Amino acid sequence: MYRIKSQIDINSESFQANQKAFLELLNTFRERTRSTIDRAQESAVLKHKERGKLLARERINLLVDPNTPFMEFSSLAAYNKYENQFPSAGIITGIGVIHGKETLIIANDATVKGGTYIKETIRKHVRAQEIAMENHLPCVYMVDSGGAFLPDQANVFPDRFDFGRFFFNQARMSAEGIPQISIVMGSCTAGGAYVPAMSDETIIVKEQGTIFIGGPPLVKAATGEEVTAEELGGADVHTSISGVADHFAEDDRHAISICRNIFETLEHKEKQKLDIIEAEEPFYDPKELYGIAPVDLKKAVDSREIIARMVDGSRFQEFKARYAPTIVTGFAHIMGFPIGIIANNGVLFSETALKGAHFVELCTSRNIPILFLQNITGFIVGKEYEHKGIARDGAKFVHAVANANVPKFTVVFGGSFGAGNYAMAGRAYDPRLLFMWPNAKISVMGGEQAADVLIQVKKDQLYARGEEMKQDDIDNLKKSILEKYEHEGSAYYSTARIWDDGIIDPVDTRKILAMGIAMSINKKWDKTKFGIFRM
Ligand code: COA
């Protein structure tokens, strides 16, 4: 494969200015992440430690193989919501390697309101289970939770993808042969009791873990019976009387080592075949992405410059390089894994959509995963393009992406607006993982366009009544829409609501994608079957 030849002058004023602006965004991201994760001096954390318990992230570090990374999802979930009283939404989810197996780990953070579940905690838990199901990853639940956050019950209990979905997913995964292991390291109350009860194998920590459908206060209120938590559902009870748990652990560390031992007994299943070659660092330094990533979304960026700083040896086998230049398509390797890349390079036209659909077909027929690099304002508008059938051609691209059964990965490196989001494997198109860079923005259209549309609609309404819109009203409407879109379009707004799997540093993109592809080969990929392409 040929090496991309970069046209960027890293000493230029524009590169340096972009880099400076990007590093400010990156510092904000790092600071927000640090303050979410590092809460060592908070009273709930001190209380937790005094009880001799390890913190959720410490538990995970001990569970995974030494010197292997943990790919954490959505660490800024619930950010800027609930007065920031739910850091990471009170749950840590991600992928780590245990005895060489990529494993989905879900750990309650009991220092956040007793590890109870608000809407975002539920979404994170269910999303993590979805990832496990799609990729056939064993699940470890490190349980330490008071169950539902009761004031938020209407948002956590009744709906299809609420609390009940955890246990449904556990049953379905177990039936598919995806191991479900629980370690009860604290409270496990009410509905939450089903997490260990529905697991294939369960470990419980002495004088620390409890499992019960109704805790002592509820039992007293319901029956008048007075009982301690330990007598009702402690480790001794469940490993020697009820049999709800299988292994008795002395403390957190012992429980984790039992869990690791269980992994030694799991079956090694056949993986999806993929031609993996020796990994190579990119020829161009990934740190140069800071000078290239669009801080100002109005600035055009040649997406080959992004690809060059992400793929092995900066080598790229471009497909249809001379045709439909507003999309860049081609093959490359990321840490030795083959990947097909579709990257925006401007607005989507009919021919762009056809090129994209054609390339998706190449990837599915060759069984190569696809990376979508999103920086998209949407499909082209106007009479000329409607007459040529942009809706029909756009639909072909969307159709191809929707039905492509090779693993899809999406990284939003700029804007993600309008139907371009669909064609480029937005969240609704089931990419295995979706990440945002700190500069990324996502909304149905850009703020300026939304403001112009709404002003035009208002003007038309008034005109029909023989009235005119005053300049002051136009200015006020424009200002309020711009502010709203700026706020709701930010990567932080998105990640707080788990519309993505997290915000990432551009430099880490390569490593994260490689982990994603490695995870995706644990399940053999389904054959792709396309439906009717409208011709
Ligand atoms: N809903 C809402 N808030 C809850 C809660 C729940 N189910 N359980 C605990 N909290 C809150 C507490 O009010 C406290 O809030 P604060 O920090 O603002 O004061 C915080 O979580 C920590 O609770 P605390 O009891 O001080 O911590 P703990 O570590 O000693 O005990 C639990 C944690 C979870 C064991 C204990 O709070 C408990 O038993 N909660 C009730 C669990 C229950 O019955 N759940 C049923 C849900 S279906």
Side-chain angles (χ1 to χ4, degrees), residues 47 51 85 110 113-114 116 145-151 187 189-191:
K47 186 166 93 177
R51 289 172 170 167
Q85 284 190 73
K113 299 281 178 201
T116 52
S145 163
F149 183 72
L150 292 172
S187 183
T189 306

mmCIF file of all heavy atoms in Angstrom, residues 47 51 85 110 113-114 116 145-151 187 189-191, ligand 1:
data_model
loop_
_atom_site.group_PDB
_atom_site.id
_atom_site.type_symbol
_atom_site.label_atom_id
_atom_site.label_comp_id
_atom_site.label_asym_id
_atom_site.label_seq_id
_atom_site.Cartn_x
_atom_site.Cartn_y
_atom_site.Cartn_z
ATOM 1 N N LYS A 47 -15.243 7.036 53.587
ATOM 2 C CA LYS A 47 -16.042 6.048 54.329
ATOM 3 C C LYS A 47 -15.882 4.647 53.712
ATOM 4 O O LYS A 47 -15.685 3.659 54.409
ATOM 5 C CB LYS A 47 -17.521 6.477 54.315
ATOM 6 C CG LYS A 47 -18.434 5.620 55.169
ATOM 7 C CD LYS A 47 -19.801 6.273 55.387
ATOM 8 C CE LYS A 47 -20.786 5.821 54.344
ATOM 9 N NZ LYS A 47 -22.143 6.332 54.489
ATOM 10 N N ARG A 51 -14.018 1.206 55.427
ATOM 11 C CA ARG A 51 -14.667 -0.108 55.556
ATOM 12 C C ARG A 51 -13.793 -1.235 54.990
ATOM 13 O O ARG A 51 -14.223 -2.381 54.904
ATOM 14 C CB ARG A 51 -16.004 -0.088 54.814
ATOM 15 C CG ARG A 51 -17.057 0.749 55.514
ATOM 16 C CD ARG A 51 -18.283 0.894 54.625
ATOM 17 N NE ARG A 51 -19.390 1.485 55.357
ATOM 18 C CZ ARG A 51 -20.498 1.955 54.769
ATOM 19 N NH1 ARG A 51 -20.636 1.880 53.465
ATOM 20 N NH2 ARG A 51 -21.459 2.468 55.497
ATOM 21 N N GLN A 85 -23.812 15.248 40.906
ATOM 22 C CA GLN A 85 -23.758 14.350 42.070
ATOM 23 C C GLN A 85 -23.606 12.890 41.676
ATOM 24 O O GLN A 85 -23.532 12.017 42.546
ATOM 25 C CB GLN A 85 -25.041 14.496 42.876
ATOM 26 C CG GLN A 85 -25.071 15.762 43.700
ATOM 27 C CD GLN A 85 -26.250 15.709 44.631
ATOM 28 O OE1 GLN A 85 -26.257 14.978 45.609
ATOM 29 N NE2 GLN A 85 -27.270 16.462 44.298
ATOM 30 N N ALA A 110 -20.025 2.383 44.681
ATOM 31 C CA ALA A 110 -20.862 2.567 45.879
ATOM 32 C C ALA A 110 -20.633 3.916 46.543
ATOM 33 O O ALA A 110 -21.390 4.304 47.431
ATOM 34 C CB ALA A 110 -20.580 1.436 46.872
ATOM 35 N N LYS A 113 -23.894 7.832 45.809
ATOM 36 C CA LYS A 113 -25.260 7.549 46.301
ATOM 37 C C LYS A 113 -25.498 6.050 46.488
ATOM 38 O O LYS A 113 -26.476 5.478 45.983
ATOM 39 C CB LYS A 113 -26.305 8.117 45.318
ATOM 40 C CG LYS A 113 -26.232 9.616 45.142
ATOM 41 C CD LYS A 113 -26.898 10.339 46.290
ATOM 42 C CE LYS A 113 -26.795 11.832 46.136
ATOM 43 N NZ LYS A 113 -26.974 12.556 47.382
ATOM 44 N N GLY A 114 -24.568 5.424 47.166
ATOM 45 C CA GLY A 114 -24.707 3.997 47.479
ATOM 46 C C GLY A 114 -24.758 3.103 46.247
ATOM 47 O O GLY A 114 -25.276 1.988 46.302
ATOM 48 N N THR A 116 -26.488 3.545 43.613
ATOM 49 C CA THR A 116 -27.853 3.398 43.093
ATOM 50 C C THR A 116 -27.949 3.860 41.638
ATOM 51 O O THR A 116 -27.076 4.569 41.130
ATOM 52 C CB THR A 116 -28.860 4.174 43.972
ATOM 53 O OG1 THR A 116 -28.395 5.512 44.127
ATOM 54 C CG2 THR A 116 -29.007 3.519 45.333
ATOM 55 N N SER A 145 -24.377 -2.107 45.192
ATOM 56 C CA SER A 145 -25.396 -1.140 44.791
ATOM 57 C C SER A 145 -26.667 -1.239 45.623
ATOM 58 O O SER A 145 -27.130 -2.336 45.943
ATOM 59 C CB SER A 145 -25.751 -1.395 43.322
ATOM 60 O OG SER A 145 -26.974 -0.784 42.987
ATOM 61 N N GLY A 146 -27.220 -0.072 45.918
ATOM 62 C CA GLY A 146 -28.508 -0.004 46.627
ATOM 63 C C GLY A 146 -29.699 -0.135 45.693
ATOM 64 O O GLY A 146 -30.820 0.155 46.091
ATOM 65 N N GLY A 147 -29.463 -0.530 44.432
ATOM 66 C CA GLY A 147 -30.578 -0.720 43.488
ATOM 67 C C GLY A 147 -31.036 0.599 42.902
ATOM 68 O O GLY A 147 -30.228 1.498 42.646
ATOM 69 N N ALA A 148 -32.322 0.720 42.705
ATOM 70 C CA ALA A 148 -32.858 1.927 42.061
ATOM 71 C C ALA A 148 -32.663 3.151 42.956
ATOM 72 O O ALA A 148 -32.844 3.066 44.175
ATOM 73 C CB ALA A 148 -34.337 1.731 41.779
ATOM 74 N N PHE A 149 -32.301 4.290 42.347
ATOM 75 C CA PHE A 149 -32.303 5.567 43.071
ATOM 76 C C PHE A 149 -33.777 5.956 43.162
ATOM 77 O O PHE A 149 -34.388 6.362 42.171
ATOM 78 C CB PHE A 149 -31.481 6.603 42.299
ATOM 79 C CG PHE A 149 -31.372 7.932 42.998
ATOM 80 C CD1 PHE A 149 -30.583 8.081 44.127
ATOM 81 C CD2 PHE A 149 -32.060 9.044 42.518
ATOM 82 C CE1 PHE A 149 -30.473 9.308 44.776
ATOM 83 C CE2 PHE A 149 -31.960 10.266 43.159
ATOM 84 C CZ PHE A 149 -31.171 10.402 44.296
ATOM 85 N N LEU A 150 -34.344 5.772 44.337
ATOM 86 C CA LEU A 150 -35.801 5.769 44.441
ATOM 87 C C LEU A 150 -36.491 7.050 43.942
ATOM 88 O O LEU A 150 -37.531 6.944 43.290
ATOM 89 C CB LEU A 150 -36.217 5.401 45.871
ATOM 90 C CG LEU A 150 -35.871 3.920 46.192
ATOM 91 C CD1 LEU A 150 -36.093 3.609 47.665
ATOM 92 C CD2 LEU A 150 -36.663 2.965 45.317
ATOM 93 N N PRO A 151 -35.911 8.256 44.159
ATOM 94 C CA PRO A 151 -36.609 9.430 43.616
ATOM 95 C C PRO A 151 -36.732 9.391 42.088
ATOM 96 O O PRO A 151 -37.589 10.059 41.522
ATOM 97 C CB PRO A 151 -35.723 10.608 44.063
ATOM 98 C CG PRO A 151 -34.936 10.088 45.223
ATOM 99 C CD PRO A 151 -34.740 8.631 44.967
ATOM 100 N N SER A 187 -23.716 -4.109 48.802
ATOM 101 C CA SER A 187 -25.161 -4.311 48.822
ATOM 102 C C SER A 187 -25.677 -4.788 47.459
ATOM 103 O O SER A 187 -25.155 -4.406 46.413
ATOM 104 C CB SER A 187 -25.790 -2.977 49.178
ATOM 105 O OG SER A 187 -27.151 -3.114 49.274
ATOM 106 N N THR A 189 -29.498 -5.259 46.475
ATOM 107 C CA THR A 189 -30.830 -5.204 47.074
ATOM 108 C C THR A 189 -31.940 -5.232 46.041
ATOM 109 O O THR A 189 -31.771 -4.733 44.933
ATOM 110 C CB THR A 189 -30.956 -3.878 47.875
ATOM 111 O OG1 THR A 189 -29.878 -3.823 48.784
ATOM 112 C CG2 THR A 189 -32.253 -3.770 48.632
ATOM 113 N N ALA A 190 -33.077 -5.765 46.440
ATOM 114 C CA ALA A 190 -34.322 -5.750 45.660
ATOM 115 C C ALA A 190 -34.055 -6.310 44.258
ATOM 116 O O ALA A 190 -33.432 -7.366 44.123
ATOM 117 C CB ALA A 190 -34.905 -4.349 45.625
ATOM 118 N N GLY A 191 -34.480 -5.585 43.181
ATOM 119 C CA GLY A 191 -34.265 -6.073 41.819
ATOM 120 C C GLY A 191 -32.810 -6.411 41.588
ATOM 121 O O GLY A 191 -32.479 -7.367 40.877
HETATM 122 N N1 COA B 1 -32.475 5.659 46.601
HETATM 123 C C1 COA B 1 -32.026 6.925 46.735
HETATM 124 N N2 COA B 1 -30.972 7.258 47.477
HETATM 125 C C2 COA B 1 -30.350 6.279 48.115
HETATM 126 C C3 COA B 1 -30.762 4.945 48.063
HETATM 127 C C4 COA B 1 -31.865 4.640 47.232
HETATM 128 N N3 COA B 1 -32.290 3.401 47.040
HETATM 129 N N4 COA B 1 -29.926 4.195 48.794
HETATM 130 C C5 COA B 1 -29.001 5.024 49.277
HETATM 131 N N5 COA B 1 -29.253 6.299 48.893
HETATM 132 C C6 COA B 1 -28.452 7.508 49.161
HETATM 133 C C7 COA B 1 -28.502 7.935 50.617
HETATM 134 O O1 COA B 1 -29.613 8.755 50.839
HETATM 135 C C8 COA B 1 -27.190 8.702 50.729
HETATM 136 O O2 COA B 1 -27.359 9.970 50.097
HETATM 137 P P1 COA B 1 -26.518 11.270 50.584
HETATM 138 O O3 COA B 1 -25.088 10.977 50.279
HETATM 139 O O4 COA B 1 -27.073 12.378 49.769
HETATM 140 O O5 COA B 1 -26.785 11.383 52.047
HETATM 141 C C9 COA B 1 -26.244 7.912 49.844
HETATM 142 O O6 COA B 1 -27.092 7.184 48.933
HETATM 143 C C10 COA B 1 -25.374 6.924 50.594
HETATM 144 O O7 COA B 1 -26.222 6.142 51.443
HETATM 145 P P2 COA B 1 -25.736 5.584 52.865
HETATM 146 O O8 COA B 1 -26.859 4.806 53.439
HETATM 147 O O9 COA B 1 -25.184 6.718 53.689
HETATM 148 O O10 COA B 1 -24.504 4.701 52.424
HETATM 149 P P3 COA B 1 -24.086 3.277 52.927
HETATM 150 O O11 COA B 1 -22.869 2.928 52.140
HETATM 151 O O12 COA B 1 -23.967 3.229 54.380
HETATM 152 O O13 COA B 1 -25.277 2.294 52.492
HETATM 153 C C11 COA B 1 -26.837 1.236 51.016
HETATM 154 C C12 COA B 1 -25.591 2.120 51.146
HETATM 155 C C13 COA B 1 -27.178 1.184 49.528
HETATM 156 C C14 COA B 1 -26.507 -0.148 51.528
HETATM 157 C C15 COA B 1 -28.002 1.819 51.869
HETATM 158 O O14 COA B 1 -28.116 3.203 51.615
HETATM 159 C C16 COA B 1 -29.336 1.181 51.569
HETATM 160 O O15 COA B 1 -29.613 0.115 52.081
HETATM 161 N N6 COA B 1 -30.189 1.836 50.740
HETATM 162 C C17 COA B 1 -31.516 1.352 50.452
HETATM 163 C C18 COA B 1 -31.445 0.251 49.432
HETATM 164 C C19 COA B 1 -32.828 -0.204 49.011
HETATM 165 O O16 COA B 1 -33.636 -0.600 49.767
HETATM 166 N N7 COA B 1 -33.063 -0.109 47.689
HETATM 167 C C20 COA B 1 -34.266 -0.538 47.112
HETATM 168 C C21 COA B 1 -34.236 -0.060 45.702
HETATM 169 S S1 COA B 1 -35.177 -1.061 44.602
#
